Structure formats: C-alpha cells, structure tokens
Amino acid sequence: MSNIAPPAGKVWLVGAGPGDPDLLTLRAARLLMNARVIVHDGLVEPAILELAPKGARFVSVAKSRSRHTLQQHEINALLVREALAGNEVIRLKGGDPFVFGRGGEEAEACRAAGVPVEVVPGISAALGAAAAAQIPLTHRDAASMVTFVAGQCKGLTEQDWSGLAGKGRTLVIYMGVATAEPIAEKLIADGLAPDMPLAVIENATRPSMRVLRGPIAGLADLVQRHRVKSPALIVIGEVAAREDNALRALAREQAPLGHAF
C-alpha cells in the first residue's frame, strides 16, 4: 500500500457573469471547457454549464431564501475536501465571486487549509443588469456615486440608510424582492423623496429580462403586481429614469409633424 498522498489540487473561484453565456470572460470559459469538478450556484445558466466537457462532475449548492442545499460552512468544507483529494475545483458563482457571493469566505477557508485558490472575476449582476437595461449607474448629469446593498440583511430597520440614495447618487439593491416594502419604507423614513425613480430589473441579460419602473413609494406594489421573482435587482436614483427619457426624446424626433406626445 502506497503512503504517497495525492497531489494537492486547487480551487478556482469563477464569476459566471449576470446570466448571458456570451458575457463570460474568456478565462472563465477556458476553465469550464477543461473542468472536471464544478461546484455551482443555482442561478448559473444551464448553457454555461454545458461548456464543461463530458464526464465533468457537477455539484449544485443552490441557495434560496427558504432553503439551502448546503450551508456555507459545508460548501467551504466541500471545496477544501475536493482540492485535498487532488482535484482542481471550479467554484462557479453568478456575477462576480467577491460581490455578495461569499467568495471571500471560501477563499479564506481554502487558504486556512493550505489549498491554493485563484479568483476569476466576472461581470457583476449590478453592472450587467444596468447595462442591459441601458441605465447608466453613473452619469455626469445625474450620479457620481454608486452604493451596493444587500436587501435581505438582518436588522434592516436598525441600519442608517440616509445618504445612500438621492440627488447625485445611485443605490443598487441585491436580493431585495422579498423585502421590497420595508426597503421602501426604510429609505423614505431616512430621507429619500417618495417620488425618487427606480427600476426593477428581473432576469437581467436573459431573453426573459423585464425592466419595471416607478417611484420608490410604489416599489412594493410594483413587485407584487408584476409578480417579480429572483434574480432581480433594484436600481434607485435619477439614473433609473434616463433610458425612458431617451426613448421619449427619440420618439419625438422621429414622429411626424403634428403628432403629440
């Protein structure tokens, strides 16, 4: 019996981007095409997983608000265990691994166990969603600051959100569909004008993408009336109305004389 330990593997924390397979980085695509073990989130598009070669082993660690396939500490242990068995592991995450993806926790667990880890950035959900909806998160006439916030965070009412959104600022809320009503109430209570524009972007960059607009005071009604489901992001600020304004201006330019808008 050999006492030689298997060679140490490696963990790659790979961003799958906002959804559309064409928005993968070249490096992410190359890694997937040579992958043997892929530990992936539930929101990763099936077409992205299909880039892996035949015989690759897939492990889904899908999470939802009410159910987790594995708890985070179990995912950390899984990555370490697979790598110590000699495997090169692709940990595939929606968006970017280090933007609300718990990639930092997984990288720390790997380093603590002596497992080499490398991060392959991806287009974050916020950047991809805003671009697909033609909403500029920054604009010289509307916003010079952007803030990303997790809408599912505990103790929402105890946090100070004043200054996160308003004139000259854009606020992007991840995972905020289920808490839309308290989010709107919290922002207005902390000083945001009730008529501040917002956009809810569902299934960004996918064929089923929807962009819904309205004022912050109507956020809960907008989400409920249109039955918005995750994945969805909420963009709040003056920039959320700019694409609509641009379309209206284009329509006026192209309209025959005498047509009223």
Side-chain angles (χ1 to χ4, degrees):
M1 179 181 297
S2 173
N3 292 324
I4 300 176
K10 183 174 181 176
V11 172
W12 299 81
L13 302 178
V14 179
D20 185 345
D22 285 346
L23 296 177
L24 278 173
T25 66
L26 290 174
R27 192 173 196 188
R30 283 196 292 265
L31 286 169
L32 284 170
M33 287 188 287
N34 293 283
R36 290 293 177 265
V37 180
I38 301 174
V39 180
H40 64 91
D41 288 346
L43 294 178
V44 174
E45 281 291 299
I48 293 176
L49 298 178
E50 289 171 4
L51 292 173
K54 291 183 179 180
R57 178 158 52 92
F58 296 93
V59 182
S60 174
V61 291
K63 295 179 180 179
S64 67
R65 184 175 175 85
S66 59
R67 181 185 63 84
H68 290 184
T69 304
L70 293 177
Q71 297 296 319
Q72 187 59 51
H73 71 275
E74 295 174 309
I75 296 174
N76 297 348
L78 169 66
L79 298 177
V80 169
R81 184 167 63 249
E82 290 285 350
L84 291 179
N87 296 316
E88 292 212 357
V89 185
I90 306 297
R91 173 65 175 106
L92 191 61
K93 297 171 169 290
D96 181 271
F98 279 6
V99 180
F100 296 125
R102 300 192 179 182
E105 297 174 42
E106 293 170 358
E108 290 168 358
C110 289
R111 290 194 294 265
V115 171
V117 60
E118 189 164 338
V119 180
V120 179
I123 296 175
S124 73
L127 300 183
Q134 297 193 28
I135 297 173
L137 295 181
T138 64
H139 191 288
R140 284 196 300 170
D141 297 332
S144 60
M145 182 173 70
V146 184
T147 303
F148 298 153
V149 171
Q152 65 175 20
C153 54
K154 297 179 181 178
L156 179 64
T157 56
E158 286 76 32
Q159 297 189 51
D160 182 6
W161 280 21
S162 58
L164 294 186
K167 189 172 181 60
R169 289 158 286 175
T170 302
L171 176 62
V172 181
I173 300 178
Y174 285 67
M175 301 167 286
V177 170
T179 53
E181 185 171 2
I183 283 173
E185 292 175 349
K186 174 64 176 172
L187 286 168
I188 292 172
D190 283 354
L192 187 64
D195 61 351
M196 178 61 68
L198 66 80
V200 178
I201 309 170
E202 179 187 63
N203 290 321
T205 76
R206 298 168 171 86
S208 57
M209 184 178 87
R210 290 194 296 171
V211 182
L212 307 169
R213 288 181 168 83
I216 182 63
L219 174 59
D221 177 67
L222 188 73
V223 167
Q224 293 168 7
R225 180 159 36 92
H226 292 278
R227 299 181 181 181
V228 177
K229 304 292 183 184
S230 293
L233 285 100
I234 304 167
V235 180
I236 301 169
E238 295 171 332
V239 296
R242 294 202 69 85
E243 194 266 353
D244 271 358
N245 291 337
L247 290 179
R248 292 191 189 102
L250 180 62
R252 284 195 295 270
E253 292 173 3
Q254 296 177 344
L257 291 176
H259 191 99
F261 284 88

